[in-house]
Amino acid sequence: MTSITTDEPTQAFSEDTWRDVIAAMDRTYSELVEYQELLEKQNTELDELRQFMNSVLSSVSDLLIVVDKNRNIERTGGAIRTILGPRAAAEAGLPLADLLETSEQGTLFEVIDQVMRDRDPRMVETQFATPDGPTPLEVSVSPRLDQRGRSQGVVLVGRPVGELRNAYLELEASHTALQQAQTQLVRNEKLASLGRLVAGVAHELNNPISFVYANTHALEKYTERFETYFDAVQAGKSRPELVALRDELRLEKTVRNLRTAINGAKDGAERVRDIVEDLRRLSAEGTGDEVSFDLMTTVRTAADWVARGTKTPVKIHFDGAVQKQARGNPGHVQQIVMNLVQNAIDALAGAEDPHVTLRVFDRDTDVVLHVIDNGPGIAEADAASIFDPFFTTKEVGKGTGLGLSISHKIAEEHGGALHLVTSAPGGCCFELALPAEEAA
Ligand SMILES: Nc1ncnc2c1ncn2[C@@H]1O[C@H](COP(=O)(O)OP(=O)(O)OP(=O)(O)O)[C@@H](O)[C@H]1O
Ligand SMILES: [Mg+2]
């Protein structure tokens, strides 16, 4: 620092001193300019930061309230007026209590005190006061700390519970709608397979019933002849007259025909009884009764019914064992086979020389059925999905895509398995394995 003394000669004092003073002034001035630039820069940064903060605060769509240690409002987000109404007293410095329903203050204040003490965020549902009455909000209370980690208050972030409830209700409603659609689809599938079944059964019953009917008709005719003859006997006709009448009515032949007609009607009735028996077995679902049954008979019945219910002329070959005892519920197994045969027949629509082969054989402790068709087969991309519920490549109304998924489940419930044999050349081969009776 330059000192100014009066003992120095006046000339020297003024020259040196002035030089020093001017230099010092220069330095001070340039320092001042630097400080000013720095200050301006910091001011700009501060301004930007404030703008950024404000834009964030105003675009937060949840309710946001910064509260100080004394539970007074410090800052609020822009959504406060949207959520709590335009008259929400959200000015800085006002007590938080002003925004709350009186009955709710205690609970929320308790939570705020706890959060400030433990420094752990907490969730609480509380009622805010709005011009429209109390509004429930789900509020998260988080601690707000200063640089040294001392508690400065809390930050409240809230969302109207109504919104969450509505979202939940909407979700629930669409879930219910989905469930109903699913039930409807399952019902349609059941109706469709019932329709196929009924068509098959109707066709099956038609034959023996018309047989019984025709024979009953003949019996009626024969009865009339005997009645005529007995009336003549009762009337005391002479022997020659009776002999003539017997020839005229061809009674000898009629007696023989009578037997045939009775046997025919009996056969027809027995066939009807068998069909009804089959039906009863098929409908014995849900009883869970496992019995020993001949898989080949079940396979034949299932295939016959499906084939008769369809218009596609398909040749069905039965291959392998004549009899194979399996263990399970024959009605359920029949459903699986009907599904597989129906799929095969569907796949054969428009195919050249369409045929289905049903092969039954033993393998270890299982009885195995192969359902083979010479249709177009299954695309590699689809093969992974065919057992998924509702997967179908058929047009709307032609298939629900439940056949294979239900069949797969039934097979597993039997301790067996159902899968696609991918190594089969051309067409399609499904394999159903069931525990053999001996093994069970
Ligand atoms: N033998 C087959 N040949 C070719 N594709 C088949 C065969 N069997 C099944 N699929 C394919 O697997 C899909 C699913 O079969 P699934 O039996 O589960 O349903 P669906 O037959 O479409 O409908 P639903 O059985 O409910 O009437 C079929 O849509 C078809 O694409
Ligand atoms: Mg099917």
Side-chain angles (χ1 to χ4, degrees), residues 186-202:
V186 173
R187 202 175 297 141
N188 284 352
E189 163 67 14
K190 281 195 179 143
L191 280 178
S193 48
L194 193 68
R196 285 199 291 269
L197 192 70
V198 169
V201 172

PDB file of all heavy atoms in Angstrom, residues 186-202:
ATOM      1  N   VAL A 186     -67.530 -69.655 -23.795  1.00  0.00           N
ATOM      2  CA  VAL A 186     -67.551 -71.045 -23.353  1.00  0.00           C
ATOM      3  C   VAL A 186     -68.938 -71.634 -23.604  1.00  0.00           C
ATOM      4  O   VAL A 186     -69.079 -72.760 -24.064  1.00  0.00           O
ATOM      5  CB  VAL A 186     -67.177 -71.141 -21.855  1.00  0.00           C
ATOM      6  CG1 VAL A 186     -67.364 -72.545 -21.347  1.00  0.00           C
ATOM      7  CG2 VAL A 186     -65.743 -70.703 -21.651  1.00  0.00           C
ATOM      8  N   ARG A 187     -69.969 -70.815 -23.303  1.00  0.00           N
ATOM      9  CA  ARG A 187     -71.343 -71.278 -23.514  1.00  0.00           C
ATOM     10  C   ARG A 187     -71.571 -71.572 -25.000  1.00  0.00           C
ATOM     11  O   ARG A 187     -72.151 -72.580 -25.365  1.00  0.00           O
ATOM     12  CB  ARG A 187     -72.317 -70.215 -23.015  1.00  0.00           C
ATOM     13  CG  ARG A 187     -73.673 -70.792 -22.701  1.00  0.00           C
ATOM     14  CD  ARG A 187     -74.567 -69.743 -22.090  1.00  0.00           C
ATOM     15  NE  ARG A 187     -74.089 -69.250 -20.825  1.00  0.00           N
ATOM     16  CZ  ARG A 187     -74.171 -67.968 -20.449  1.00  0.00           C
ATOM     17  NH1 ARG A 187     -74.681 -67.068 -21.247  1.00  0.00           N
ATOM     18  NH2 ARG A 187     -73.738 -67.592 -19.276  1.00  0.00           N
ATOM     19  N   ASN A 188     -71.082 -70.666 -25.860  1.00  0.00           N
ATOM     20  CA  ASN A 188     -71.226 -70.872 -27.306  1.00  0.00           C
ATOM     21  C   ASN A 188     -70.558 -72.166 -27.727  1.00  0.00           C
ATOM     22  O   ASN A 188     -71.088 -72.921 -28.525  1.00  0.00           O
ATOM     23  CB  ASN A 188     -70.581 -69.727 -28.077  1.00  0.00           C
ATOM     24  CG  ASN A 188     -71.440 -68.500 -28.031  1.00  0.00           C
ATOM     25  OD1 ASN A 188     -72.572 -68.557 -27.549  1.00  0.00           O
ATOM     26  ND2 ASN A 188     -70.923 -67.395 -28.518  1.00  0.00           N
ATOM     27  N   GLU A 189     -69.345 -72.370 -27.164  1.00  0.00           N
ATOM     28  CA  GLU A 189     -68.600 -73.582 -27.514  1.00  0.00           C
ATOM     29  C   GLU A 189     -69.401 -74.809 -27.092  1.00  0.00           C
ATOM     30  O   GLU A 189     -69.534 -75.761 -27.817  1.00  0.00           O
ATOM     31  CB  GLU A 189     -67.223 -73.555 -26.843  1.00  0.00           C
ATOM     32  CG  GLU A 189     -66.502 -74.889 -26.764  1.00  0.00           C
ATOM     33  CD  GLU A 189     -66.089 -75.435 -28.115  1.00  0.00           C
ATOM     34  OE1 GLU A 189     -66.119 -74.671 -29.105  1.00  0.00           O
ATOM     35  OE2 GLU A 189     -65.759 -76.642 -28.189  1.00  0.00           O
ATOM     36  N   LYS A 190     -69.971 -74.724 -25.858  1.00  0.00           N
ATOM     37  CA  LYS A 190     -70.755 -75.860 -25.368  1.00  0.00           C
ATOM     38  C   LYS A 190     -71.958 -76.080 -26.263  1.00  0.00           C
ATOM     39  O   LYS A 190     -72.287 -77.205 -26.604  1.00  0.00           O
ATOM     40  CB  LYS A 190     -71.207 -75.599 -23.934  1.00  0.00           C
ATOM     41  CG  LYS A 190     -70.090 -75.855 -22.944  1.00  0.00           C
ATOM     42  CD  LYS A 190     -70.628 -75.954 -21.552  1.00  0.00           C
ATOM     43  CE  LYS A 190     -69.510 -76.238 -20.559  1.00  0.00           C
ATOM     44  NZ  LYS A 190     -69.719 -75.536 -19.313  1.00  0.00           N
ATOM     45  N   LEU A 191     -72.620 -74.966 -26.642  1.00  0.00           N
ATOM     46  CA  LEU A 191     -73.791 -75.073 -27.509  1.00  0.00           C
ATOM     47  C   LEU A 191     -73.403 -75.680 -28.847  1.00  0.00           C
ATOM     48  O   LEU A 191     -74.111 -76.528 -29.384  1.00  0.00           O
ATOM     49  CB  LEU A 191     -74.414 -73.697 -27.742  1.00  0.00           C
ATOM     50  CG  LEU A 191     -75.300 -73.183 -26.618  1.00  0.00           C
ATOM     51  CD1 LEU A 191     -75.807 -71.801 -26.954  1.00  0.00           C
ATOM     52  CD2 LEU A 191     -76.474 -74.138 -26.413  1.00  0.00           C
ATOM     53  N   ALA A 192     -72.244 -75.221 -29.369  1.00  0.00           N
ATOM     54  CA  ALA A 192     -71.805 -75.722 -30.670  1.00  0.00           C
ATOM     55  C   ALA A 192     -71.540 -77.210 -30.598  1.00  0.00           C
ATOM     56  O   ALA A 192     -72.006 -77.977 -31.454  1.00  0.00           O
ATOM     57  CB  ALA A 192     -70.562 -74.982 -31.121  1.00  0.00           C
ATOM     58  N   SER A 193     -70.836 -77.653 -29.525  1.00  0.00           N
ATOM     59  CA  SER A 193     -70.543 -79.083 -29.491  1.00  0.00           C
ATOM     60  C   SER A 193     -71.812 -79.861 -29.161  1.00  0.00           C
ATOM     61  O   SER A 193     -71.985 -80.982 -29.629  1.00  0.00           O
ATOM     62  CB  SER A 193     -69.402 -79.410 -28.529  1.00  0.00           C
ATOM     63  OG  SER A 193     -69.621 -78.790 -27.320  1.00  0.00           O
ATOM     64  N   LEU A 194     -72.710 -79.231 -28.406  1.00  0.00           N
ATOM     65  CA  LEU A 194     -73.988 -79.885 -28.133  1.00  0.00           C
ATOM     66  C   LEU A 194     -74.760 -80.044 -29.445  1.00  0.00           C
ATOM     67  O   LEU A 194     -75.350 -81.085 -29.708  1.00  0.00           O
ATOM     68  CB  LEU A 194     -74.794 -79.026 -27.153  1.00  0.00           C
ATOM     69  CG  LEU A 194     -76.001 -79.718 -26.537  1.00  0.00           C
ATOM     70  CD1 LEU A 194     -75.555 -80.832 -25.617  1.00  0.00           C
ATOM     71  CD2 LEU A 194     -76.860 -78.724 -25.773  1.00  0.00           C
ATOM     72  N   GLY A 195     -74.697 -78.977 -30.273  1.00  0.00           N
ATOM     73  CA  GLY A 195     -75.380 -79.016 -31.562  1.00  0.00           C
ATOM     74  C   GLY A 195     -74.864 -80.156 -32.425  1.00  0.00           C
ATOM     75  O   GLY A 195     -75.635 -80.919 -33.003  1.00  0.00           O
ATOM     76  N   ARG A 196     -73.523 -80.283 -32.448  1.00  0.00           N
ATOM     77  CA  ARG A 196     -72.912 -81.360 -33.245  1.00  0.00           C
ATOM     78  C   ARG A 196     -73.352 -82.714 -32.712  1.00  0.00           C
ATOM     79  O   ARG A 196     -73.691 -83.629 -33.464  1.00  0.00           O
ATOM     80  CB  ARG A 196     -71.390 -81.238 -33.171  1.00  0.00           C
ATOM     81  CG  ARG A 196     -70.829 -80.118 -34.007  1.00  0.00           C
ATOM     82  CD  ARG A 196     -69.354 -80.342 -34.254  1.00  0.00           C
ATOM     83  NE  ARG A 196     -68.576 -80.188 -33.041  1.00  0.00           N
ATOM     84  CZ  ARG A 196     -68.037 -79.033 -32.653  1.00  0.00           C
ATOM     85  NH1 ARG A 196     -68.193 -77.957 -33.381  1.00  0.00           N
ATOM     86  NH2 ARG A 196     -67.328 -78.960 -31.555  1.00  0.00           N
ATOM     87  N   LEU A 197     -73.349 -82.779 -31.366  1.00  0.00           N
ATOM     88  CA  LEU A 197     -73.718 -84.038 -30.720  1.00  0.00           C
ATOM     89  C   LEU A 197     -75.164 -84.406 -31.054  1.00  0.00           C
ATOM     90  O   LEU A 197     -75.462 -85.531 -31.443  1.00  0.00           O
ATOM     91  CB  LEU A 197     -73.565 -83.854 -29.212  1.00  0.00           C
ATOM     92  CG  LEU A 197     -73.635 -85.117 -28.396  1.00  0.00           C
ATOM     93  CD1 LEU A 197     -72.395 -85.941 -28.638  1.00  0.00           C
ATOM     94  CD2 LEU A 197     -73.766 -84.777 -26.929  1.00  0.00           C
ATOM     95  N   VAL A 198     -76.035 -83.418 -30.924  1.00  0.00           N
ATOM     96  CA  VAL A 198     -77.458 -83.659 -31.169  1.00  0.00           C
ATOM     97  C   VAL A 198     -77.674 -84.094 -32.623  1.00  0.00           C
ATOM     98  O   VAL A 198     -78.431 -85.036 -32.891  1.00  0.00           O
ATOM     99  CB  VAL A 198     -78.290 -82.399 -30.834  1.00  0.00           C
ATOM    100  CG1 VAL A 198     -79.710 -82.542 -31.339  1.00  0.00           C
ATOM    101  CG2 VAL A 198     -78.297 -82.180 -29.333  1.00  0.00           C
ATOM    102  N   ALA A 199     -76.949 -83.423 -33.548  1.00  0.00           N
ATOM    103  CA  ALA A 199     -77.080 -83.799 -34.956  1.00  0.00           C
ATOM    104  C   ALA A 199     -76.689 -85.261 -35.146  1.00  0.00           C
ATOM    105  O   ALA A 199     -77.386 -86.028 -35.818  1.00  0.00           O
ATOM    106  CB  ALA A 199     -76.202 -82.888 -35.817  1.00  0.00           C
ATOM    107  N   GLY A 200     -75.566 -85.627 -34.502  1.00  0.00           N
ATOM    108  CA  GLY A 200     -75.083 -87.017 -34.617  1.00  0.00           C
ATOM    109  C   GLY A 200     -76.079 -87.989 -34.017  1.00  0.00           C
ATOM    110  O   GLY A 200     -76.434 -88.999 -34.620  1.00  0.00           O
ATOM    111  N   VAL A 201     -76.572 -87.651 -32.820  1.00  0.00           N
ATOM    112  CA  VAL A 201     -77.502 -88.545 -32.127  1.00  0.00           C
ATOM    113  C   VAL A 201     -78.803 -88.667 -32.918  1.00  0.00           C
ATOM    114  O   VAL A 201     -79.343 -89.767 -33.086  1.00  0.00           O
ATOM    115  CB  VAL A 201     -77.782 -88.023 -30.693  1.00  0.00           C
ATOM    116  CG1 VAL A 201     -78.880 -88.826 -30.040  1.00  0.00           C
ATOM    117  CG2 VAL A 201     -76.527 -88.092 -29.861  1.00  0.00           C
ATOM    118  N   ALA A 202     -79.288 -87.540 -33.429  1.00  0.00           N
ATOM    119  CA  ALA A 202     -80.546 -87.559 -34.175  1.00  0.00           C
ATOM    120  C   ALA A 202     -80.420 -88.508 -35.364  1.00  0.00           C
ATOM    121  O   ALA A 202     -81.303 -89.330 -35.623  1.00  0.00           O
ATOM    122  CB  ALA A 202     -80.883 -86.152 -34.657  1.00  0.00           C
TER     123      ALA A 202
END
